[in-house]
Amino acid sequence: MRADAEAQLRAMGVHDPVAESRWLLEAVTGMDVAEQILESEGPATRRATAELDALLARRAAGEPIQYVLGAWTFCDLELLIDPRVLIPRPETEVVAQIGVAEVERLGERVGAPEPWGGGLTHYAVADLGTGAAALALALAASLPDAEVWATDVSEPALAVAHANIAASGTLATRVRVAHGSWFDALPLELRGSLLVVVSNPPYIADHEVLPASVVDWEPSQALISGPTGLEAVEHLLTTAPEWLDEAGTLVLEVAPHQAEPAMSMAWAAGFAEVFVRPDLAGHDRALVARRRADR
Ligand SMILES: C[S@@+](CC[C@H](N)C(=O)[O-])C[C@H]1O[C@@H](n2cnc3c(N)ncnc32)[C@H](O)[C@@H]1O
């Protein structure tokens, strides 16, 4: 069954047919990789074969493997993923890591929450344009004392975010969801108090050509910003100062070629310290804009 799936995936030209065949088999049989190896000679049920064929047909039609599986991992969190949300990317993990490091720099406790800990919080952070709630949950998982706001303008995306937050167990007691455009989604009482705001906003320009696997399947509202690609980045940079704590930090994902113009926008918005960090592939990816410089 797995060898046949792998052969079909290879014929489709997918990037990693071995891994994909294992994930698909796990999705239909519930067997992890070790069990699949032990059971490799066992007979496949008719139902599992039919389900696997259906998933392979979706993959053959070009649907991304993450949507076919209906799940994907981000920062060790297993998330429900479907075409209502952008597929969380590995390069976005650096935004979560920097967000956590910035909170620690500002003197707050970092680490996994105790399973018996309550939902008590004493500061707030936000993930604007949360999609599947990947960044919001990654922050909640590493910041035991944080109230985490997860916002999006897309109601369908927020339905997925709600499902992932509900499935996260005790983290859900500290994650709040709000609908609306960027900071407008947040309650006014938060103004001037957010310790850290993270966002992976849409940053593709109208004219940019994207692969079919992206443009045909992922929500355009999650990808396209406008004529320059920097519209959402600029809006966030200019509105963040009034929402952040006086020592707070904004961490924004950008495309590598946007690092320089985005840094200029951050200086113009009045941030005291501005720099860009690379992602795991070494590409400029995360813009860090601090209201108060480290001295
Ligand atoms: C690039 S996706 C990022 C999703 C998720 N944070 C991640 O990193 O995987 C951008 C997200 O911003 C949302 N978005 C677009 N315009 C928005 C706006 N004006 N206000 C709030 N969210 C917006 C989209 O719906 C989408 O979920």
Side-chain angles (χ1 to χ4, degrees):
M1 201 178 173
R2 197 193 63 76
D4 183 45
E6 184 185 321
Q8 289 189 52
L9 289 159
R10 196 176 301 281
M12 290 172 209
V14 308
H15 171 66
D16 191 346
V18 175
E20 289 201 13
S21 63
R22 290 193 168 136
W23 295 332
L24 290 170
L25 210 66
E26 182 168 2
V28 298
T29 64
M31 289 192 294
D32 63 21
V33 174
E35 290 166 332
Q36 287 174 27
I37 291 165
L38 286 173
E39 296 283 324
S40 62
E41 299 307 316
T45 65
R46 201 177 297 170
R47 182 172 166 180
T49 308
E51 280 179 15
L52 183 61
D53 286 347
L55 298 185
L56 285 166
R58 288 170 60 188
R59 195 71 184 103
E63 187 168 350
I65 184 68
Q66 296 89 343
Y67 291 150
V68 173
L69 294 168
W72 201 238
T73 302
F74 178 87
C75 289
D76 296 326
L77 297 158
E78 171 94 353
L79 300 171
L80 163 79
I81 298 297
D82 70 25
R84 290 174 289 182
V85 291
L86 186 97
I87 298 162
R89 308 291 207 270
E91 55 266 32
T92 304
E93 294 193 359
V94 74
V95 175
Q97 288 155 5
I98 294 171
V100 170
E102 285 296 306
V103 171
E104 189 171 29
R105 184 183 75 93
L106 294 169
E108 295 295 343
R109 196 163 63 110
V110 162
E114 304 88 12
W116 55 89
L120 292 180
T121 60
H122 60 84
Y123 65 93
V125 297
D127 167 23
L128 304 184
T130 196
L135 283 170
L137 286 170
L139 292 182
S142 293
L143 300 173
D145 305 319
E147 173 178 83
V148 181
W149 285 82
T151 78
D152 209 293
V153 78
S154 158
E155 300 218 46
L158 284 182
V160 178
H162 271 296
N164 281 319
I165 293 163
S168 72
T170 55
L171 299 185
T173 61
R174 293 184 291 109
V175 183
R176 311 279 301 269
V177 176
H179 174 242
S181 185
W182 305 130
F183 288 99
D184 292 346
L186 296 173
L188 285 177
E189 310 86 83
L190 286 176
R191 203 184 280 235
S193 74
L194 293 167
L195 224 45
V196 166
V197 172
V198 298
S199 182
N200 172 18
Y203 54 72
I204 311 284
D206 293 337
H207 62 269
E208 283 181 65
V209 179
L210 297 172
S213 60
V214 173
V215 78
D216 291 351
W217 295 95
E218 299 197 71
S220 63
Q221 200 173 25
L223 298 165
I224 312 295
S225 177
T228 69
L230 279 162
E231 291 80 358
V233 167
E234 183 162 31
H235 176 81
L236 288 163
L237 283 165
T238 52
T239 43
E242 68 183 276
W243 287 87
L244 286 166
D245 176 87
E246 60 187 9
T249 304
L250 175 66
V251 186
L252 283 186
E253 180 167 329
V254 294
H257 69 275
Q258 295 171 333
E260 286 298 326
M263 286 210 299
S264 303
M265 288 172 182
W267 289 119
F271 284 94
E273 190 172 9
V274 177
F275 54 94
V276 172
R277 288 266 182 261
D279 59 24
L280 294 174
H283 301 125
D284 282 347
R285 187 64 65 183
L287 174 77
V288 184
R290 293 175 173 162
R291 288 200 70 200
R292 187 187 292 159
D294 253 351
R295 285 182 235 282

